[in-house]
Amino acid sequence: MLIDPFARAISYLRVSVTDRCDFRCVYCMSENMTFLPKKELLTLEELDRLCSTFIRLGVRKLRITGGEPLVRRDIMTFFKGMRRHLEAGDLDELTLTTNGSQLERFAQDLFDAGVRRVNVSLDTLDEDKFAEVTRWGRLPQVLRGIDAALQAGLKVKINTVALKGFNEDELFSLTEWAAAKGMDLTFIEVMPMGDIGNEDRIGQYWSLQDVRTQLATRYSLSDLPDRTGGPARYVGLQETGQRIGFITPLSHNFCESCNRVRVTCTGEIYTCLGQEGSSDLRAPLRASEGDAPLEDAIRAAIALKPKGHDFDYSRQDVEGRVSRHMSHTGG
Ligand code: SAM
Ligand code: SF4
């Protein structure tokens, strides 16, 4: 087992498999992103070794993210490889977070690899607004992807970044749309990650407390005890039977129950999303064909996991912001 200095067991790994993406969401990337040279990335074989080592050390849940994980070349080979850990009973869940653009193509393959749930990020159901917020994305393609995922038997959860003055007016339409398709919906507070050009991040901030208050004007909300060890809190909507999540890293402190670590596509391990500190796993991975140096490096990194993060919007400037992009660490 991997236990950190604050007695938290690390059972959840998020791995970013690419920093690239076919969208340029305004809160995530600048329009002209420079991406890493391919040789910096872990190969698919290295990703397999890395994840398999974490699983051997006690990780039970693996989430693949990015960038956009489904634009990584041959990524299905990796997913198919991870299936063996599900079959062996060493892994409880294999899942991913995606923008949905490639789901029409890959939904069935993902299901066949043992994936049962996907998170799809979608901030608006308006085609023009979708093009505006993703800069490069096309809504119909994503909607077809979501339908393909449901058709393939995947459970879909929608992730929506709550953006002031952008999707406030779609709170009910998004909720009803998701309910009609049997999908849960989670709202995410915008976080101060990376240099994204001249977008006004503080202006984008829409408090989830307000989202909740507005939902309560139309639905009966009940707090659910569900905990994933992460920053999400859930309520049930009596009228739709849906679960609505709120991810509030800024206004709530969830760090004490944190069970997760993240690895970037270059093999850096971040033991806290909101802190700069990281350790390199690529060198130990490449140093030896055996996994002993990698195991040692993972244990050493977990021993440095900080107690919590320092995001804070309460001052004029965004305090505690971290310089890397979300697409680097993986959301
Ligand atoms: N490309 C995939 C996607 O969009 O789902 C996976 C990676 S993306 C970085 C993961 C999640 O992070 C998405 O739900 C996205 O909306 C969210 N995200 C990106 N930048 C964010 C920010 N600055 N604040 C809050 N959420 C952010
Ligand atoms: Fe790409 Fe996801 Fe970032 Fe949007 S949020 S730019 S889809 S990585």
Side-chain angles (χ1 to χ4, degrees):
M1 283 288 270
L2 293 168
I3 309 283
D4 82 357
F6 303 94
R8 297 169 297 194
I10 306 306
S11 57
Y12 183 177
L13 173 66
R14 290 195 178 210
V15 180
S16 170
V17 295
T18 176
D19 62 332
R20 286 164 201 254
C21 187
D22 51 346
F23 292 2
R24 293 288 181 278
C25 301
V26 295
Y27 45 74
C28 180
M29 294 192 181
S30 63
E31 185 140 30
N32 304 305
M33 291 287 289
T34 313
F35 293 110
L36 294 161
K38 296 236 165 69
K39 65 176 182 351
E40 296 284 318
L41 300 194
L42 298 184
T43 64
L44 293 178
E45 293 74 21
E46 287 168 343
L47 281 169
D48 188 307
R49 267 181 69 201
L50 177 96
C51 293
S52 301
T53 302
F54 270 101
I55 291 166
R56 208 162 50 243
L57 294 176
V59 159
R60 304 287 315 178
K61 178 171 171 179
L62 180 59
R63 178 175 294 279
I64 304 307
T65 179
E68 174 46 41
L70 298 182
V71 303
R72 169 93 195 236
R73 213 172 148 191
D74 275 342
I75 195 63
M76 283 308 135
T77 305
F78 168 81
F79 276 103
K80 284 179 196 147
M82 286 300 106
R83 190 192 162 111
R84 69 185 186 279
H85 297 300
L86 292 165
E87 285 172 348
D90 298 332
L91 184 65
D92 295 332
E93 187 170 43
L94 171 64
T95 182
L96 71 153
T97 303
T98 171
N99 65 24
S101 70
Q102 309 301 315
L103 269 181
E104 194 175 17
R105 208 154 44 112
F106 290 129
Q108 190 60 51
D109 288 346
L110 288 168
F111 187 89
D112 294 345
V115 174
R116 292 294 174 266
R117 295 194 310 143
V118 290
N119 287 1
V120 181
S121 305
L122 183 93
D123 303 328
T124 173
L125 288 169
D126 178 291
E127 238 181 286
D128 293 337
K129 281 162 73 180
F130 188 86
E132 185 190 332
V133 74
T134 63
R135 290 198 188 100
W136 293 10
R138 295 291 165 260
L139 180 65
Q141 186 183 347
V142 171
L143 295 181
R144 285 199 305 275
I146 291 171
D147 286 340
L150 293 168
Q151 194 85 43
L154 295 168
K155 205 162 164 30
V156 178
K157 181 169 75 90
I158 301 297
N159 280 347
T160 300
V161 178
L163 295 165
K164 188 141 203 95
F166 180 78
N167 54 12
E168 281 173 288
D169 57 338
E170 291 188 70
L171 178 60
F172 297 125
S173 51
L174 275 164
T175 305
E176 301 285 338
W177 166 78
K181 290 183 181 290
M183 303 185 295
D184 290 336
L185 175 62
T186 289
F187 292 97
I188 310 178
E189 233 170 35
V190 74
M191 285 184 272
M193 309 284 293
D195 174 12
I196 39 117
N198 42 14
E199 302 292 332
D200 175 9
R201 204 178 280 288
I202 296 177
Q204 295 174 340
Y205 175 68
W206 174 22
S207 149
L208 295 194
Q209 188 54 48
D210 189 45
V211 175
R212 191 190 159 122
T213 306
Q214 288 194 38
L215 278 174
T217 63
R218 189 171 296 194
Y219 307 103
S220 316
L221 272 51
S222 54
D223 284 312
L224 299 176
D226 315 28
R227 289 279 190 275
T228 57
R233 295 293 174 262
Y234 297 95
V235 297
L237 297 195
Q238 201 182 331
E239 291 77 1
T240 65
Q242 247 167 328
R243 207 169 71 133
I244 303 281
F246 302 98
I247 301 189
T248 54
L250 300 167
S251 50
H252 264 266
N253 197 337
F254 53 88
C255 302
E256 67 285 349
S257 60
C258 183
N259 61 354
R260 59 196 59 193
V261 295
R262 296 174 160 79
V263 176
T264 69
C265 53
T266 56
E268 286 165 285
I269 178 171
Y270 283 88
T271 54
C272 176
L273 181 62
Q275 298 274 6
E276 298 281 359
S278 68
S279 323
D280 176 36
L281 299 180
R282 189 178 59 188
L285 193 56
R286 290 184 176 170
S288 151
E289 282 186 7
D291 292 331
L294 176 62
E295 278 192 24
D296 290 346
I298 291 172
R299 286 189 197 284
I302 303 283
L304 295 175
K305 184 169 161 69
K307 194 166 177 196
H309 65 72
D310 307 317
F311 288 140
D312 182 5
Y313 269 124
S314 61
R315 312 222 185 136
Q316 255 318 334
D317 194 10
V318 179
E319 291 287 325
R321 65 179 294 159
V322 289
S323 57
R324 63 188 185 273
H325 287 95
M326 191 72 126
S327 54
H328 183 63
T329 330

